[in-house]
Amino acid sequence: MNIIAWVVLGLLAGAIAKAIYPGYQGGGILSTMVLGIVGAFIGGSLYTLLQTGTLQLTAAGAGFSLPGLFIAVIGAIIAIYLWGLLSRSSRV
């Protein structure tokens, strides 16, 4: 997938995940895009794990399509949750 498609997928997935996840996440358009791209990798890796039984860092399944967007949004929601756990524990 080319870079423009990754940017668009990242923006869409990050914005949808931030809208779904409760609470305030903060950040601007760049952090939303990075969140969506990281979510595509997390979701694609989980998709590959469920399909093949092997854990690989890949964005396979998170292509520029409606199911791919769904996978990227699920991954972005997981990324928001994990970031919340990490940032909460570092405030101590």
Side-chain angles (χ1 to χ4, degrees):
M1 191 164 27
N2 64 18
I3 193 74
I4 303 293
W6 275 107
V7 168
V8 171
L9 178 70
L11 282 172
L12 287 173
I16 292 171
K18 281 186 172 184
I20 291 173
Y21 199 81
Y24 177 73
Q25 289 81 39
I29 193 166
L30 185 63
S31 67
T32 302
M33 180 181 58
V34 170
L35 171 68
I37 292 173
V38 168
F41 277 103
I42 291 173
S45 297
L46 289 176
Y47 179 78
T48 303
L49 177 66
L50 292 175
Q51 289 292 323
T52 64
T54 60
L55 185 60
Q56 298 174 352
L57 181 60
T58 179
F64 197 66
S65 63
L66 199 55
L69 180 64
F70 179 73
I71 290 172
V73 168
I74 296 298
I77 290 173
I78 293 170
I80 291 172
Y81 175 74
L82 292 175
W83 181 257
L85 286 179
L86 291 174
S87 66
R88 188 177 315 130
S89 65
S90 67
R91 286 187 216 160
V92 174

